[in-house]
Amino acid sequence: MLNSEFCKAARWQLYCDSNSRPSLVARSLITGVLPSLLVTLWQGLALPRLVYLIAQSEGRHYSLSRVDMRMGEIYFFWDVFNMFAQGVLGSAAVSTATGAAIYTQTASFLNNPQEFPNLLGQALPTSSKFFFTYLIMRTLLSVPLRFLIAQPGVWQSWLRLMDVFGGPVPSRVAFMRDAIRSPRFGVEYGSSLLILLICLAFSIISPLIVLFGCAFFGATWVYWRYQLIYNYQRKYESGGLMWPFFANRALVCCAIMVAFTGCVMIVKKAFVQATLLWVAGIISTLAFRSRLNRRYMNAIQEMPLYLAQMAPRARVPATTYVPPPLQVNGLGWYPEFNKVWEWFGMPGYSF
């Protein structure tokens, strides 16, 4: 549909009407690679900064760890509702209707909401091509490129080697360019959860996606192990709460897989199997999540009494609660003291 709409608007004969090999390759790239490339660029360049500003503008969280966790929550909402849900439904609408027929199909669905599982079951196989292309690009292009760019300062070093920016570099600029960054856990967890959601949701429809998903997580594990050892330095201490954050949302991805797989079974007229999958799968997922929270989360809510009895009396200086710029002589102050993501060029405050 993208090619047809483009040809209707542009009427470029060399591109639209030609059957030559370059024209066929160009049309394949525009329909197959370009959408996934644009989504990848949006996720890597614009979305993390927008999520940062949104979390900062809420003004609800006092600790850096909680702000970063809030960024992960916003990113996960975007993964589920914007990227995944709209990608699935949008692919189904575009593939089955064009122009005004899309609005007719939407109105028909609103008048018959009981057809929603059937629509999802038809939409999931239709959208698998886009998500498969996106996963291949993330695995074969994005991850290797991140190995080459250990930190943002590498870009400037490459440009300087090519003599794009000539002249000497001031010491302050060199320090900020080569400074040790802090890992953006909120965004990185959100990005990994999106790949996990795609792999789980399409594991039954397109099993080949699982193979590339395993390759992505394997390469990402090597990348992050290297980065955390040599290039990144943590900005805060969350007490290990980022792992429960990730585990709970991974179980949400499992529940989404159960729901969408049951919709596909309904399309195949397997109503009994779909009902059993929904009942058993959702209940078991919720029960496992409840067991994890009772077993582990309750243990970290309060300090054990025997540890509290053994611990010495705490004497916290009053200056601890004073922001560094307001202390005498600016004790402990440095330009990035109030930022969750250190040396990423983000403002310390937001509206």
Side-chain angles (χ1 to χ4, degrees):
M1 180 180 177
L2 183 61
N3 272 329
S4 62
E5 295 297 329
F6 174 78
C7 291
K8 288 179 182 179
R11 296 181 180 178
W12 186 11
Q13 185 176 2
L14 180 62
Y15 173 82
C16 301
D17 300 333
S18 176
N19 292 324
S20 62
R21 190 172 187 83
S23 299
L24 295 176
V25 172
R27 288 197 292 266
S28 300
L29 290 176
I30 288 180
T31 57
V33 178
L34 184 60
S36 301
L37 179 61
L38 293 176
V39 171
T40 303
L41 292 176
W42 167 260
Q43 284 186 308
L45 299 178
L47 187 62
R49 288 161 174 78
L50 294 176
V51 169
Y52 181 97
L53 295 176
I54 292 173
Q56 288 283 77
S57 63
E58 291 179 344
R60 299 189 309 165
H61 310 292
Y62 300 98
S63 63
L64 298 180
S65 60
R66 192 63 189 90
V67 174
D68 208 7
M69 202 174 300
R70 176 57 181 165
M71 296 178 197
E73 294 174 358
I74 298 173
Y75 207 102
F76 183 71
F77 289 146
W78 186 90
D79 289 343
V80 175
F81 295 105
N82 194 306
M83 180 69 180
F84 181 74
Q86 294 191 25
V88 170
L89 298 179
S91 298
V94 170
S95 63
T96 57
T98 58
I102 295 180
Y103 299 98
T104 304
Q105 187 183 36
T106 304
S108 176
F109 161 68
L110 293 177
N111 295 329
N112 301 282
Q114 67 274 10
E115 296 295 328
F116 185 65
N118 191 22
L119 175 63
L120 288 182
Q122 295 175 356
L124 202 63
T126 305
S127 60
S128 61
K129 181 180 178 181
F130 165 74
F131 288 105
F132 187 48
T133 306
Y134 170 76
L135 182 56
I136 291 176
M137 181 167 293
R138 289 290 304 272
T139 305
L140 301 182
L141 179 63
S142 178
V143 176
L145 189 61
R146 298 187 73 178
F147 275 104
L148 296 176
I149 307 173
Q151 61 164 319
V154 175
W155 281 111
Q156 301 181 22
S157 299
W158 287 356
L159 294 175
R160 197 163 297 281
L161 288 176
M162 294 185 293
D163 201 22
V164 176
F165 298 122
V169 180
S171 57
R172 178 182 177 87
V173 175
F175 172 76
M176 296 180 66
R177 181 191 65 191
D178 302 329
I180 299 178
R181 266 68 174 175
S182 60
R184 303 183 300 177
F185 285 119
V187 166
E188 297 300 338
Y189 273 126
S191 178
S192 300
L193 284 170
L194 175 60
I195 301 299
L196 179 63
L197 176 60
I198 293 173
C199 293
L200 292 176
F202 293 96
S203 59
I204 305 300
I205 309 301
S206 181
L208 195 58
I209 285 183
V210 180
L211 178 62
F212 281 92
C214 294
F216 171 83
F217 283 111
T220 303
W221 177 82
V222 176
Y223 167 79
W224 276 109
R225 186 175 186 273
Y226 177 84
Q227 289 288 72
L228 293 176
I229 292 176
Y230 297 106
N231 289 329
Y232 284 161
Q233 185 177 21
R234 67 180 183 179
K235 174 68 174 179
Y236 57 81
E237 174 58 58
S238 66
L241 292 179
M242 287 301 271
W243 169 246
F245 166 84
F246 180 84
N248 284 327
R249 282 150 185 82
L251 291 177
V252 173
C253 295
C254 293
I256 294 175
M257 178 197 70
V258 172
F260 274 77
T261 305
C263 293
V264 176
M265 290 182 176
I266 287 181
V267 174
K268 302 297 182 180
K269 307 300 181 183
F271 299 106
V272 177
Q273 293 87 337
T275 303
L276 292 176
L277 177 64
W278 282 341
V279 173
I282 297 297
I283 291 179
S284 60
T285 302
L286 293 177
F288 183 66
R289 180 179 181 275
S290 177
R291 182 179 183 277
L292 288 180
N293 289 332
R294 290 196 310 269
R295 176 64 178 84
Y296 299 104
M297 293 301 295
N298 292 337
I300 62 176
Q301 296 298 328
E302 304 291 344
M303 179 184 294
L305 292 179
Y306 72 94
L307 289 181
Q309 183 181 8
M310 294 169 56
R313 182 180 295 274
R315 299 182 180 275
V316 182
T319 55
T320 303
Y321 303 99
V322 179
L326 300 181
Q327 295 184 14
V328 179
N329 298 325
L331 181 63
W333 180 87
Y334 69 107
E336 309 286 325
F337 83 98
N338 60 337
K339 297 183 182 180
V340 182
W341 300 343
E342 191 176 17
W343 302 114
F344 274 95
M346 299 303 298
Y349 302 98
S350 180
F351 295 103

